Amino acid sequence: MLEVLGVDSESETVYAALLSSPPAVPDDLARTTGLSPTRVRVALRRLQSSGLVNRRPGRPVSYVAIDPEVALDGLLLTRQEQLRRARLRAGEFTEQFRRLAATRDPAALVEVVTGADAVRRRSSQAIRGARHEVCAFDKPPYHSGGELDPNEPELEFLARGGTVRALYDADGISKPGRLNVLRMWAAAGEQARVLHDVPTKMALVDDRLAILPLLPGSGPDPSPSFVVLHRSAVLDALSALFEALWAAALPLQLGSVHGTDRNGLSSDDQLLVNLLAAGLTDEAIARQVNISYRTLQRRLRALMDRAHAHTRFQLGIHATANGWVKGGGVWEQGCNSSRE
């Protein structure tokens, strides 16, 4: 835990042992921590140089822990100052890079990355380097490795307080097993919306770069090619496109729900209504919630009776007007169509 302050795990273990004991000699600390006496002595020297312990005079040599409120605050202030200087230096490098970029060939603003492994590495690197927000278009087809699938990098980014907005194509949500993955990301904090026809795959990282397929459609080629676009008018246009489609899309509510909501809908019915609003076909919904097609039809009929609706369109109007879903939905576009 204290490694971020330059204190390795063994030194932290020794420091914790000292905090819970009176002044101690290295051999006693070795028995307490399970470390060898040699490693304990090395840890004590590191702790002493970091200002976390004091060596007491006299024989045998013993050590005492310094109040962590004082010692750790000192280390934190030192590290904060180091980070401040590093940020200033990074800013200088960034400014230097931008000055040079302004004089470069415009083609230098575009990287072409070819091969599934290379695309995956570049995408992970970009997301791990995000500072504030990642925005993504997600649509089929999916390559075997899922090049633009943020996966662990996205979860790490969310865990450190970043914002992720993902706009999903309705066809992509209907893929087998997809729902469990989407719910995992929703639980981690991802904001998701759905659109009936997302134009392309894409990831926007802050206002610094975008990653998207080089060829329209991006079929399941074993050696896909993607482009990385840096700051430019094209990047600004892609950002504006994302915001426009995000505003028009329907919130995808797949987080964990329990019991009944304020409308009296059970958790199962809440999920069912949201999958309907997302535009999934009946067959796809039945697969995702692991029920038979006949059971699904019976539950839909019950929802329509409850809403006094004679058609799916009327059910959609009732659901929107009464807060069963947020936004307008795509009920008329996909509920009865066969897109499998």
Side-chain angles (χ1 to χ4, degrees):
M1 186 65 71
L2 297 182
E3 289 179 352
V4 69
L5 299 178
V7 180
D8 62 86
S9 58
E10 288 189 352
S11 298
E12 182 178 347
T13 299
V14 172
Y15 182 62
L18 273 173
L19 286 173
S20 59
S21 68
V25 299
D27 288 344
D28 290 340
L29 290 171
R31 285 190 289 271
T32 300
T33 62
L35 299 172
S36 69
T38 300
R39 291 165 72 179
V40 167
R41 289 185 176 86
V42 170
L44 286 169
R45 286 196 294 271
R46 291 172 179 165
L47 290 168
Q48 190 173 5
S49 65
S50 298
L52 291 171
V53 304
N54 275 336
R55 178 176 171 173
R56 303 190 70 188
R59 295 289 178 180
V61 174
S62 62
Y63 294 82
V64 62
I66 296 175
D67 183 352
E69 184 176 2
V70 176
L72 294 179
D73 276 356
L75 286 179
L76 284 168
L77 290 173
T78 299
R79 187 52 57 95
Q80 287 172 356
E81 177 61 19
Q82 292 171 344
L83 288 173
R84 186 188 69 82
R85 293 177 182 175
R87 288 193 188 99
L88 288 175
R89 190 59 172 157
E92 293 172 1
F93 286 142
T94 299
E95 186 59 32
Q96 180 181 357
F97 176 82
R98 289 177 180 173
R99 286 197 304 268
L100 292 173
T103 64
R104 290 186 303 177
D105 183 343
L109 297 174
V110 179
E111 301 175 42
V112 178
V113 184
T114 300
D117 289 341
V119 170
R120 194 177 303 114
R121 285 194 301 269
R122 187 66 180 92
S123 300
S124 295
Q125 179 191 49
I127 293 170
R128 286 195 168 98
R131 299 169 185 169
H132 307 294
E133 183 177 48
V134 172
C135 299
F137 285 155
D138 182 287
K139 71 172 299 180
Y142 300 108
H143 301 294
S144 58
E147 288 82 353
L148 274 183
D149 183 344
N151 201 2
E152 290 302 323
E154 176 182 327
L155 295 176
E156 292 169 6
F157 179 60
L158 287 166
R160 65 176 193 264
T163 298
V164 175
R165 290 187 290 157
L167 186 55
Y168 290 96
D169 187 277
D171 279 347
I173 299 174
S174 68
K175 298 301 177 184
R178 193 78 169 136
L179 187 60
N180 289 334
V181 177
L182 297 183
R183 295 178 101 170
M184 176 187 68
W185 288 333
E190 179 188 87
Q191 302 172 40
R193 294 190 180 185
V194 64
L195 197 66
H196 198 58
D197 189 14
V198 173
T200 183
K201 299 179 183 183
M202 182 177 70
L204 284 165
V205 180
D206 299 321
D207 59 348
R208 296 182 294 117
L209 60 85
I211 306 175
L212 66 162
L214 183 60
L215 299 176
S218 182
D221 190 310
S223 297
S225 294
F226 279 60
V227 293
V228 181
L229 299 174
H230 295 272
R231 283 192 178 95
S232 61
V234 177
L235 184 64
D236 293 340
L238 290 173
S239 180
L241 173 64
F242 178 87
E243 295 300 341
L245 294 181
W246 179 262
L250 175 78
L252 183 60
Q253 301 165 312
L254 296 176
S256 298
V257 287
H258 302 283
T260 57
D261 68 359
R262 60 185 179 84
N263 298 299
L265 289 177
S266 69
S267 59
D268 289 340
D269 284 342
Q270 292 172 55
L271 178 60
L272 182 58
V273 167
N274 281 289
L275 291 177
L276 282 168
L280 272 67
T281 64
D282 290 355
E283 293 83 358
I285 293 173
R287 285 198 304 269
Q288 293 290 353
V289 299
N290 197 29
I291 60 176
S292 69
Y293 182 82
R294 180 173 295 181
T295 299
L296 174 66
Q297 295 303 310
R298 187 165 55 249
R299 288 175 54 183
L300 288 178
R301 184 70 259 172
L303 285 170
M304 292 174 69
D305 290 344
R306 178 173 178 173
H308 304 291
H310 299 290
T311 67
R312 298 287 188 85
F313 185 70
Q314 291 176 340
L315 175 60
I317 293 175
H318 179 90
T320 302
N322 290 274
W324 290 11
V325 294
K326 297 178 181 178
V330 291
W331 300 78
E332 72 281 5
Q333 298 176 352
C335 287
N336 286 308
S337 60
S338 179
R339 296 179 285 112
E340 294 303 297

